[in-house]
Amino acid sequence: MNHRSGRSGRSRWAAVLILAVLAAPASAATKAIRAGKVIDPNGRSIANVVIVITDDRITSVSSGPPPAGADVIDLGRYTVIPGMIDVHTHMTYYWDGTGRPRGVTRLPAVSMVLAQANLRKTLETGVTTVRDMNAAELTDVAMRDLIRAGSFTGPRMFVVGYGLGITRQPYRPGNLPGPGTVDGPDEVRRRVRQLIASGVDWIKLFGSTGSFEDVTQNETFTFEEMKAAVDTAHALGKRVAIHSYGPDGARDAVRAGADSLEHATDMDDQTIAEMAKRGTWYVPTIDHNRYYADHAGEYDFAPGSVERLRDFITRNLDTARRAVKAGVKFAMGSDAVYSMFGENTRELTWFVKAGLTPAQAYVAATANGAALLGMEKSLGAIAPGYYADLVAVEGDPLADVNVLVDGVRLVIKGGLIVVDKRGASESGR
Ligand SMILES: [Zn+2]
């Protein structure tokens, strides 16, 4: 240790000089945004604010003038909000628009590279952070790292690797169980540790049947298996999301200590009360079934699927209403796959139908997403020290939730403009 640092004593000066040279253009690239309005973390709007950005972080938020020499971005006619957070995506599920979305025969790595289109469409919705919920062969880990390294342009990603599920009957001929198939608490513990050792940020369990046009709700994992996953992940500092379409899986997921519960429909009042008490996040993902019903032909769903999907939506919304009344915390999750990217934030319109105010829906898409991820000190607010992930919207999102869906005009991620639709909106009017 000593020998090493001694030897590098002289070269350290060289390193300092190199760093100084590298730092020069970054400080010259200080930006100042003039925002017509910003919304503070309590959901109040403040007029005429200057946000100063140095590198990828916000360094000040004030009513004062922009610093001399700063590159000024004039967003005076917009409301500026923090980048939104979609906590349930399937970014690596890519469809090229030919054949059927689910008829993919490419290698997962090829799909992952092509799925840069999903990343771009997601940024265009004003989403600058996602939690991605299942991917083949750790391609989500690769995608996250390529974005971090600047090789891909996309939202910040928090990833699960592959979601864990139990061996299911009946087998489909020729379909071998994948690495996410685990049975019994011991196998669950082992796979959770392995996934975390492979670099995932979260653990996901498929705690019930149900996906795409299949809206069955049968619990899969036992309570003991869920508990084994939660305890193992928590001991290693990671959080757990449990998918359950139905009430039984939801009840056990909440009791087992899941950090977030996905989809859960038809929950009993006791489970909802328990979520409110424990602070379990609810990610109801109502809109994705609307998307499937609207695009049933494209997906080649079986006859009767649309009726089943629409019935599930009604019950999903009803469950969400009861959760709102009980004070359960909501986060925005689109469950976007294949062709649904670009509609990530439509989930918020369902939140308002479920009884949240537009301001509460805004919080669900920003501060709540950040808190769910454990990133409440870096994401989901416009304040010094936070990442400079900012979205300019046209209109007042506190009065109309559709502003968050259709009103996005400019997106900044880590201090860089990644989407600019200002010209399009002005010439279109
Ligand atoms: Zn999903």
Side-chain angles (χ1 to χ4, degrees):
M1 209 53 170
N2 274 339
H3 174 70
R4 259 195 179 170
S5 54
R7 192 182 49 168
S8 65
R10 220 177 326 168
S11 60
R12 192 181 300 150
W13 282 108
V16 167
L17 282 174
I18 291 165
L19 282 176
V21 170
L22 287 174
S27 59
T30 294
K31 296 184 186 81
I33 291 169
R34 282 183 203 275
K37 280 183 195 164
V38 299
I39 299 179
D40 79 3
N42 303 317
R44 271 183 325 162
S45 91
I46 308 164
N48 302 318
V49 172
V50 171
I51 304 163
V52 179
I53 300 170
T54 306
D55 300 331
D56 63 345
R57 300 272 183 165
I58 295 166
T59 46
S60 82
V61 180
S62 73
S63 56
D71 186 359
V72 178
I73 303 170
D74 187 5
L75 300 176
R77 51 182 296 222
Y78 303 107
T79 299
V80 178
I81 63 167
M84 289 185 276
I85 301 174
D86 182 349
V87 300
H88 195 129
T89 62
H90 294 282
M91 209 54 90
T92 60
Y93 293 29
Y94 176 72
W95 183 47
D96 65 3
T98 65
R100 299 294 179 193
R102 291 184 294 175
V104 177
T105 52
R106 282 175 237 105
L107 285 170
V110 175
S111 288
M112 185 272 287
V113 172
L114 295 171
Q116 288 174 88
N118 298 344
L119 296 174
R120 180 175 43 74
K121 286 182 196 165
T122 299
L123 285 174
E124 284 171 2
T125 68
V127 167
T128 54
T129 298
V130 302
R131 186 182 58 166
D132 204 63
M133 295 300 268
N134 184 45
E137 297 178 8
L138 301 180
T139 46
D140 54 348
V141 176
M143 191 179 238
R144 176 198 68 193
D145 293 350
L146 287 162
I147 292 168
R148 259 187 211 163
S151 300
F152 282 15
T153 301
R156 301 175 195 284
M157 288 182 75
F158 292 79
V159 302
V160 304
Y162 36 83
L164 302 180
I166 63 161
T167 301
R168 267 202 235 160
Q169 298 291 343
Y171 271 124
R172 281 168 292 169
N175 203 347
L176 294 168
T181 305
V182 282
D183 296 289
D186 287 343
E187 277 189 29
V188 168
R189 269 189 283 271
R190 181 160 182 259
R191 197 66 88 235
V192 166
R193 289 188 183 124
Q194 288 172 335
L195 276 170
I196 292 171
S198 301
V200 306
D201 305 293
W202 273 71
I203 294 296
K204 179 188 181 180
L205 265 55
F206 289 100
S208 83
T209 57
S211 81
F212 290 106
E213 79 274 46
D214 170 4
V215 289
T216 59
Q217 302 175 299
N218 308 315
E219 184 170 5
T220 52
F221 282 113
T222 63
F223 170 78
E224 287 70 26
E225 288 167 323
M226 292 184 187
K227 184 94 169 48
V230 170
D231 291 348
T232 306
H234 284 179
L236 294 169
K238 301 295 181 195
R239 296 182 179 182
V240 179
I242 301 186
H243 155 124
S244 181
Y245 267 47
D248 299 337
R251 183 195 63 239
D252 281 345
V254 172
R255 282 202 303 139
D259 299 282
S260 77
L261 180 61
E262 315 297 308
H263 321 300
T265 293
D266 300 329
M267 281 193 279
D268 55 73
D269 290 338
Q270 225 178 339
T271 298
I272 290 174
E274 189 70 18
M275 289 179 79
K277 194 177 101 192
R278 289 172 175 260
T280 314
W281 292 100
Y282 185 30
V283 185
T285 70
I286 302 166
D287 192 55
H288 80 124
N289 287 319
R290 185 278 310 163
Y291 185 85
Y292 289 143
D294 287 355
H295 296 260
E298 187 179 295
Y299 280 82
D300 206 16
F301 290 152
S305 296
V306 173
E307 291 72 20
R308 283 190 292 275
L309 286 164
R310 297 218 189 275
D311 180 57
F312 191 85
I313 291 167
T314 305
R315 292 183 284 122
N316 203 348
L317 178 59
D318 176 67
T319 310
R321 271 196 192 111
R322 291 190 289 121
V324 168
K325 284 204 188 102
V328 172
K329 299 187 295 182
F330 279 63
M332 177 183 75
S334 65
D335 209 354
V337 297
Y338 302 118
S339 48
M340 189 184 162
F341 291 95
E343 300 189 14
N344 305 57
T345 56
R346 280 183 65 160
E347 179 71 4
L348 297 175
T349 63
W350 293 98
F351 284 9
V352 171
K353 283 182 198 152
L356 293 186
T357 64
Q360 289 169 324
Y362 158 80
V363 170
T366 53
N368 282 6
L372 177 150
L373 293 169
M375 295 294 289
E376 60 275 13
K377 295 203 168 87
S378 310
L379 296 172
I382 299 176
Y386 281 68
Y387 281 111
D389 293 357
L390 302 164
V391 177
V393 296
E394 192 160 0
D396 180 4
L398 301 181
D400 179 6
V401 72
N402 292 305
V403 168
L404 298 175
V405 181
D406 307 320
V408 172
R409 297 292 177 260
L410 182 116
V411 182
I412 293 172
K413 185 204 153 203
L416 300 173
I417 295 176
V418 288
V419 174
D420 190 351
K421 296 191 276 190
R422 287 176 296 173
S425 78
E426 273 143 35
S427 60
R429 266 149 207 272

